[in-house]
Amino acid sequence: MEKEQLFRISRENDEWLSENYEYLKKTYDKCWIVIQDRKVVQSASTFDEIMKVVRKYDPNKVRVEYVQSEEVAMFF
């Protein structure tokens, strides 16, 4: 797969995540999700669970994200 295609896939999944985060917070609060082709293809409540299922996907085509409705304070 060419670098440009990988970048496009990554960008599309990132944009989809950003555009749909409010919906995802309501549906997958405190869950790990796997995004492929601009949709959620798997979800799990723990990191270990998501790692077991994510192996069946091409790592170049998916994004794994933790979704939570509660805002996190970050201090630097």
Side-chain angles (χ1 to χ4, degrees), residues 26-73:
K26 293 174 187 170
T27 308
Y28 299 100
D29 189 29
K30 297 181 181 143
C31 288
W32 289 91
I33 59 172
V34 179
I35 299 170
Q36 179 176 302
D37 297 327
R38 298 175 305 276
K39 63 183 174 227
V40 176
V41 293
Q42 291 283 327
S43 67
S45 58
T46 68
F47 183 74
D48 290 339
E49 288 177 68
I50 206 68
M51 291 311 295
K52 289 177 185 173
V53 297
V54 77
R55 290 187 177 114
K56 68 181 180 180
Y57 296 97
D58 180 345
N60 294 312
K61 295 182 178 182
V62 298
R63 174 172 176 152
V64 177
E65 186 75 25
Y66 184 73
V67 178
Q68 66 180 28
S69 59
E70 188 176 306
E71 291 194 26
V72 176

Side-chain angles (χ1 to χ4, degrees), residues 12 20 30:
E12 288 175 354
N20 292 280
K30 297 181 181 143

Side-chain angles (χ1 to χ4, degrees), residues 12-23:
E12 288 175 354
N13 284 329
D14 288 349
E15 288 172 356
W16 184 87
L17 173 66
S18 179
E19 292 167 0
N20 292 280
Y21 202 76
E22 289 302 313
Y23 163 77

